[in-house]
Amino acid sequence: MSAPPLAKKPRTSTPGKNDDDGIPVPETTTLDYVNLTSHTDSFGVDPIPVSWGHPDPLVRGPIICTVRHSSQRNAIGAHSGSYCIYTGLAVAAGKLNPDYVPNLKLTRPVFQIGPHKSWSDPKKVASIDPFGHLTTEVYGAYLDKGFDIRPTIAITKAHIDLPETREAVAAGRLIPDGKILMPNGQSIVSKAAIEPVWYLPEIARRFGCTETMLRQSIFRMTNGMYPELITRPDIKIFLPPIGGLTIYIWGDPDTIPDEDIELTCRVHDECNGSDVF
């Protein structure tokens, strides 16, 4: 189940406007026809290159997995995990314009994370995009040219009200400081919502199999849901149809890498369905 090399076309470039920055012109896909992905001889595909693990985000390249740039898309799957189905429903019901592009001007992180050395090691970062929260900062030139690139990490602040914390404050076991813990028991935390972005070669290595075996297994066990796993071996990025994760940080996020400061981590595995499944 292997696919032959795909036919590519030269990158579109406008002299004097695009040559200097090296960013190609976005090719917008018209939605008046259905583009099948089950064929191995797709003509004109020219995905934006991705050099996974490169420390420079511009050299690494943006992750493009939106429907507007089918020929330049460099990831298999769709944004929002399993919730991408609701996008399709909204478009089918006429409630969402399929050409809609969100305004990302207010999506910059409210606090800084990284960069860290691990971001440039493909064996350490393989299931998230370490630059997924910096879309407007590092890929602003792509956005200005009309590329539809979505963040895969959202970083913000949040208030959390835990019954256990209120009880501990009432009992005197916790003393509110007015900065992290409020007198009413609420916690002021930093929050990161993360969408999975898989680098298939490293995911396969971690599971002790070949990339080909990984692609074939996912393709078969999803009843052929993603034919590009087979037909597009040139695309190494996969946005799987699974839920993401949320991180809540109590305290200063800047101290997380400091090994001299004690760090407590609690993992909560949420059940999204019946235990019998």
Side-chain angles (χ1 to χ4, degrees):
M1 298 178 67
S2 60
L6 296 170
K8 291 190 176 183
K9 61 182 177 182
R11 295 191 180 281
T12 304
S13 179
T14 302
K17 181 179 180 181
N18 307 290
D19 295 339
D20 292 340
D21 57 19
I23 299 175
V25 174
E27 299 177 4
T28 303
T29 303
T30 58
L31 299 180
D32 55 354
Y33 70 95
V34 176
N35 184 26
L36 296 179
T37 60
S38 56
H39 297 76
T40 59
D41 57 350
S42 299
F43 177 78
V45 294
D46 189 19
I48 301 298
V50 174
S51 180
W52 190 267
H54 199 284
D56 185 337
L58 289 177
V59 177
R60 200 293 304 270
I63 302 301
I64 300 179
C65 198
T66 50
V67 300
R68 291 176 58 82
H69 315 292
S70 61
S71 65
Q72 295 167 304
R73 182 169 48 84
N74 56 19
I76 301 169
H79 284 285
S80 302
S82 59
Y83 290 95
C84 66
I85 299 298
Y86 294 106
T87 303
L89 290 175
V91 172
K95 302 299 182 180
L96 177 66
N97 185 341
D99 294 325
Y100 170 76
V101 178
N103 186 339
L104 303 179
K105 291 183 178 179
L106 299 178
T107 61
R108 295 187 61 176
V110 298
F111 61 90
Q112 183 174 346
I113 291 289
H116 301 290
K117 290 183 178 180
S118 59
W119 292 12
S120 58
D121 187 346
K123 292 187 177 181
K124 290 185 178 180
V125 178
S127 59
I128 66 172
D129 176 6
F131 302 110
H133 60 304
L134 300 174
T135 300
T136 58
E137 294 183 35
V138 299
Y139 300 121
Y142 282 85
L143 298 174
D144 291 341
K145 281 195 172 180
F147 275 99
D148 184 6
I149 304 173
R150 307 290 175 91
T152 56
I153 299 176
I155 294 179
T156 184
K157 294 286 187 177
H159 291 211
I160 293 185
D161 194 356
L162 298 175
E164 298 91 335
T165 305
R166 292 201 308 269
E167 294 173 2
V169 170
R173 298 193 304 272
L174 289 177
I175 307 299
D177 63 350
K179 296 174 61 178
I180 299 175
L181 182 60
M182 299 292 106
N184 62 359
Q186 278 193 343
S187 298
I188 310 299
V189 301
S190 303
K191 177 182 178 181
I194 303 175
E195 182 176 286
V197 178
W198 288 3
Y199 180 58
L200 291 174
E202 174 57 18
I203 296 293
R205 188 195 69 82
R206 294 184 182 188
F207 280 92
C209 65
T210 64
E211 182 185 342
T212 299
M213 176 59 70
L214 175 67
R215 288 170 175 266
Q216 291 179 0
S217 296
I218 296 176
F219 176 75
R220 286 170 173 157
M221 294 301 104
T222 57
N223 280 327
M225 185 184 299
Y226 296 100
E228 287 178 309
L229 288 169
I230 306 300
T231 63
R232 295 297 302 273
D234 59 311
I235 297 182
K236 304 297 184 180
I237 310 300
F238 179 44
L239 273 61
I242 60 177
L245 60 90
T246 302
I247 298 174
Y248 297 98
I249 303 171
W250 276 257
D252 185 357
D254 291 338
T255 64
I256 293 178
D258 191 341
E259 296 182 359
D260 293 330
I261 297 179
E262 183 177 357
L263 177 66
T264 300
C265 179
R266 173 189 172 186
V267 179
H268 175 60
D269 185 8
E270 179 184 1
C271 178
N272 287 318
S274 172
D275 291 337
V276 300
F277 298 116

